[in-house]
Amino acid sequence: LFPESISTEQQSLVLVKRLLAISVSCITYMRGLFPESSYGTRYLDDLCLKILREDKSCLGSLQIVKWIQGCFDALEKQYVNLGFYTLSSNPTVTEMYQFKFKYKNKVPQMDISSNHREFVAGLCSKDVKRASRLLLRTLYLLMQDLGPLPNDITLSMKLLYYNHVTPKDYQPPGFKEDGSPGDLLFAGDPINLKVGSVSTDFHLMKVRVTTEKKRVKKADSNLIQKNGPTEISHQGLDCEEDEEEEEECTKINLLNLAFSQEEVIGAEKKRKVSEPEKLPLNGRK
């Protein structure tokens, strides 16, 4: 499932892509969005993974595969900052899955013993793979603790970008400019769950889940990040600071009920957002 070694930027990119694809597959499978025929089976140690494949008999799963491929394009170009999937029952959000990405500019360091400039050994591939397995296991366990979805559910996805490097006219394949940036409305009190993170010498990927508190049967207290109000601004999902500042940024935006993007970070820094077509899932398995 993962590269043997994760010592180059390309190997790190392959890892992040696979983690994203497997995580989204896990979410759609465990939430019963598509039929069994839409998935292939792979094993990670003793964990059975169901991975989305191009099932021509299910247009919904085909569409999700295209969404993931579009996100891959933005990852390759190092444009995407945040991808989030929402399961909503109009007009409220039932579940939201956040994938945050950061890119590290690794530079050659002096290897004193050889007197040559080369990459000094960084994060161990074994540790990276261990973190990847832990993230997927945690996600699978969390999916089992969520209550059933409403019948009339719609799946949507949005991508947020790093403005300073992303061309204004850029859109990944299958995406268009977001026509409805604004707040995400939950019917009850949302709870933010930290699923985990994986860091290589070149990339950082974090996964979080937000849903109504009453829909989580028995969440591990270590996963719970912050209770919030009923509305979360898109900009509340987008913090570029370091760990401590990021937590503060998330806290501030979760506590503001209905701030627009301009009110949160200023009109001149309004985050570029794009989305594919929403996907109604009334006929899911």
Side-chain angles (χ1 to χ4, degrees), residues 23-153:
S23 297
V24 174
S25 297
C26 163
I27 293 163
T28 61
Y29 183 80
M30 297 297 288
R31 305 310 284 138
L33 302 186
F34 305 118
E36 191 76 27
S37 61
S38 297
Y39 300 87
T41 301
R42 298 289 296 275
Y43 286 89
L44 181 63
D45 299 333
D46 60 340
L47 184 63
C48 178
L49 302 174
K50 295 293 185 176
I51 301 177
L52 277 167
R53 59 187 178 189
E54 294 185 274
D55 177 15
K56 294 181 179 179
S57 66
C58 179
L59 294 179
S61 63
L62 271 177
Q63 188 64 45
I64 299 299
V65 171
K66 290 180 180 177
W67 290 7
I68 295 172
Q69 291 170 343
C71 191
F72 284 176
D73 185 81
L75 276 169
E76 291 168 2
K77 293 177 170 64
Q78 298 192 356
Y79 291 165
V80 65
N81 168 222
L82 184 80
F84 63 98
Y85 293 78
T86 56
L87 287 167
S88 57
S89 179
N90 287 334
T92 59
V93 175
T94 304
E95 296 169 8
M96 178 173 65
Y97 301 87
Q98 304 176 43
F99 297 87
K100 185 174 179 64
F101 306 100
K102 289 187 179 182
Y103 311 96
K104 307 175 187 179
N105 295 317
K106 186 171 181 181
V107 297
Q109 300 177 17
M110 179 67 75
D111 183 341
I112 298 175
S113 61
S114 65
N115 203 31
H116 289 137
R117 290 178 65 82
E118 59 184 29
F119 286 127
V120 176
L123 292 165
C124 173
S125 295
K126 185 183 297 185
D127 292 338
V128 172
K129 291 180 183 179
R130 185 182 299 117
S132 302
R133 289 193 292 268
L134 178 59
L135 184 150
L136 293 173
R137 285 182 180 278
T138 304
L139 185 59
Y140 262 78
L141 289 173
L142 178 58
M143 293 297 96
Q144 295 174 26
D145 285 336
L146 294 178
L149 291 170
N151 291 326
D152 58 334
I153 204 76

